[in-house]
Amino acid sequence: MTTNHTLRYGSRTLALTATALGVVATAVPAAAGEQPTAEQIMADCASGEGKCSFNSPQLGKAYLGEPRQVSELLFNCTDSPASQSMSWADTVGSSHSVGGSVTVGGGIEGIITASVTATYNYTWQSSHTETSSFTVTVKPGEVGWISRAQVMRQISGTWQTHYDDPKWGHYYWFVPDTVTGPAPNGTDGKHSAVVVKSRKMTADEKKLCAGGSTQDKVFTRNR
């Protein structure tokens, strides 16, 4: 994850009548008297040390994420096509550009949810899980599996952190961020896809069919 992020900060007078803004790029942990990294600011948002809000959220267009394997592998060591019902499960989480994954139930998740709901009346979800079963048909000498692609959406906004006492020399810090997470099926006309895929066995996999309990049989293995 890239650690070179842009931070904007605000400073206020004792009378709270003026605010100075600036821009600073930082790629290393802050020492005394230095400016913080985006990760340090986000850690304070997550812990509650900083009073944070996610301002001016902008919803991006939904898109179909990259497909990934969600089932076991089905091997066909027989001489005929084989069909078998296979269960699958898929959990897709969220990530943001300045701090990795968004933890379900964490402080950051609640702030994003409140901001997006208030602005768009859109129910943002940091994680989505689906389970089902599908019939997989595999040709002789091939391996089959179930793959799934989730509808995704990005939300761009700016984190504002307020401290009761100045930290790193300022009361306010601003961190631009982009959150990527699962979107409801059908968002912007995009639909999650579940497909069966297959390929030829490798040389090592063919050896599994040559003897032992797997010879002339259909069997599954973990991903």
Side-chain angles (χ1 to χ4, degrees):
M1 186 62 62
T2 301
T3 56
N4 188 0
H5 307 293
T6 300
L7 302 182
R8 293 182 297 147
Y9 60 83
S11 175
R12 63 182 183 182
T13 65
L14 292 179
L16 300 179
T17 57
T19 300
L21 297 178
V23 177
V24 58
T26 160
V28 297
E34 294 183 352
Q35 294 165 342
T37 64
E39 288 81 1
Q40 288 173 304
I41 295 295
M42 294 309 303
D44 283 354
C45 287
S47 68
E49 181 177 344
K51 297 179 176 68
C52 293
S53 59
F54 188 62
N55 299 337
S56 304
Q58 300 292 319
L59 289 178
K61 287 288 186 180
Y63 64 95
L64 196 60
E66 290 295 321
R68 59 182 186 172
Q69 181 183 333
V70 295
S71 73
E72 293 183 321
L73 296 173
L74 181 64
F75 292 78
N76 185 358
C77 297
T78 72
D79 295 326
S80 303
S83 297
Q84 182 170 308
S85 179
M86 298 182 67
S87 297
W88 60 266
D90 187 28
T91 298
V92 180
S94 297
S95 62
H96 59 134
S97 59
V98 298
S101 61
V102 178
T103 304
V104 176
I108 290 177
E109 179 195 36
I111 296 171
I112 299 173
T113 299
S115 176
V116 174
T117 299
T119 305
Y120 294 99
N121 195 29
Y122 170 77
T123 303
W124 178 78
Q125 51 184 353
S126 62
S127 179
H128 178 75
T129 299
E130 280 195 26
T131 60
S132 188
S133 61
F134 210 83
T135 298
V136 177
T137 300
V138 182
K139 295 178 181 179
E142 292 194 353
V143 183
W145 67 92
I146 299 169
S147 181
R148 181 176 182 272
Q150 169 69 41
V151 178
M152 305 292 287
R153 197 172 200 178
Q154 291 187 328
I155 305 171
S156 298
T158 301
W159 292 97
Q160 175 181 322
T161 304
H162 166 245
Y163 296 99
D164 292 332
D165 297 306
K167 189 169 183 180
W168 296 293
H170 298 279
Y171 286 89
Y172 298 93
W173 288 92
F174 299 85
V175 181
D177 193 10
T178 298
V179 181
T180 303
N185 206 29
T187 302
D188 293 336
K190 301 296 183 181
H191 296 270
S192 298
V194 179
V195 297
V196 172
K197 293 189 175 183
S198 63
R199 59 170 172 79
K200 297 287 187 180
M201 290 186 191
T202 65
D204 287 339
E205 289 169 342
K206 288 179 180 179
K207 292 179 182 179
L208 297 174
C209 294
S213 61
T214 60
Q215 187 174 13
D216 300 325
K217 292 185 179 180
V218 177
F219 67 97
T220 60
R221 297 180 68 195
N222 292 332
R223 289 176 247 179

